[in-house]
Structure formats: structure tokens, C-alpha cells
């Protein structure tokens, strides 16, 4: 950013905030043997299980916004660690369903408590987790996240030639 620029763009700020929070969560859940991405998966799985759902890897990928292949990789690692179980969906033999093990439930509840405390600290400048400014901030972020991404369109001839 040069001195003549009007300041950071919203995209740059969202990127910086996302990275800052990812690092903070990574550090907070590391003592529990989790990464931020693994935490996102087990915490989402926990919430879905509490709602009576036994999601497929695809459903969990859609819910978390992570790529299905990445969810599969994370799920295999979490299964090896004894935190989740992966089983074939009886209705669709191509689909894999996920569920937290008893150990996974224990670790996930601990991780959720740690991350909620961290979020309280990170949101303190807005008044904390339950503050009106935080609710407004959350609504704004939700609005932006709800906008579907348009498919990429080729922008020049060289790109068009490379496109099948």
C-alpha cells in the first residue's frame, strides 16, 4: 500500500482478519491435538450431531465451506486419531458418513469451550460475543457469505484458447 492509496480494501482486511483468527484458533486448540481446520470440522460435526444429523463428508464440506477432498483428508486424519468414525452410507454406497467417537465428543467439547473464550477475547473491541456491535458485524459477514460466487469467465484471448 503506497502513501497515495486510499487505504486497505475490504477484501484485504477480511483476508488479514481471517488469517489472524486462524492462527489464534490454531494456537488455542493445538494443546488438544487439533488444527483450526480440524476444529472447524469436529465442531461442525458436533453441532450437526446434536441436531440429530449424521452428515456425509459432502454435506460437511458444504456446511463448512471446505473442499470435499480436503474434508476427506481431514476426516481420515481425525479417524486415525480416534476422534471420528467414517462409515458407508446405507442409502448411498458412494457416500461416507461421519460421526464423533466418544473421545471425539470429549475433545470437541473442550475445544469449543476454548474457542468460545478466544472469540470473547477477539471480539472484546466490539463489546464481546453478545454485544450489539458483534451481532451487527456477524449479520454483515453473513450477508457477504450468502452471496454466491459467479463462475469465472475468461477475460482475454489467451485464457480462452487454454479453456477446453
Amino acid at each position: 500500500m503506497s502513501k497515495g492509496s486510499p487505504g486497505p480494501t475490504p477484501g484485504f482486511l477480511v483476508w488479514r482478519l481471517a488469517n489472524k483468527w486462524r492462527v489464534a484458533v490454531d494456537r488455542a486448540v493445538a494443546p488438544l491435538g487439533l488444527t483450526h481446520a480440524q476444529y472447524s470440522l469436529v465442531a461442525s460435526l458436533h453441532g450437526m450431531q446434536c441436531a440429530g444429523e449424521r452428515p456425509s463428508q459432502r454435506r460437511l464440506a458444504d456446511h463448512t465451506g471446505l473442499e470435499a477432498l480436503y474434508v476427506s483428508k481431514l476426516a481420515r486424519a481425525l479417524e486415525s486419531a480416534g476422534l471420528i468414525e467414517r462409515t458407508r452410507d446405507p442409502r448411498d454406497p458412494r457416500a461416507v458418513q461421519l460421526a464423533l467417537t466418544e473421545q471425539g465428543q470429549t475433545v470437541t467439547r473442550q475445544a469449543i469451550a476454548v474457542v468460545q473464550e478466544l472469540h470473547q477475547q477477539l471480539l472484546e473491541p466490539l463489546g464481546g460475543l453478545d454485544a450489539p456491535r458483534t451481532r451487527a458485524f456477524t449479520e454483515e459477514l453473513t450477508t457477504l457469505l450468502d452471496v454466491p460466487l459467479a463462475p469465472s469467465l475468461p477475460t482475454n484471448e489467451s485464457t480462452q484458447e487454454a479453456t477446453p
Side-chain angles (χ1 to χ4, degrees), residues 62-63 138-150:
D62 292 344
H63 177 81
T138 301
E139 288 172 15
E140 297 290 353
L141 291 172
T142 301
T143 298
L144 294 174
L145 285 169
D146 285 346
V147 176
L149 291 176

Side-chain angles (χ1 to χ4, degrees), residues 51-106:
E53 196 174 340
R54 184 171 179 142
S56 67
Q57 287 183 170
R58 162 56 63 194
R59 170 81 177 95
L60 197 54
D62 292 344
H63 177 81
T64 60
L66 297 170
E67 292 292 326
L69 193 59
Y70 189 45
V71 167
S72 177
K73 179 182 172 184
L74 290 170
R76 282 192 302 274
L78 290 164
E79 181 181 42
S80 293
L83 301 180
I84 67 168
E85 60 183 16
R86 300 166 67 234
T87 57
R88 290 279 170 213
D89 185 335
R91 296 163 298 178
D92 182 356
R94 297 167 299 162
V96 175
Q97 290 181 317
L98 303 174
L100 291 168
T101 63
E102 195 171 311
Q103 177 188 0
Q105 290 175 17
T106 300

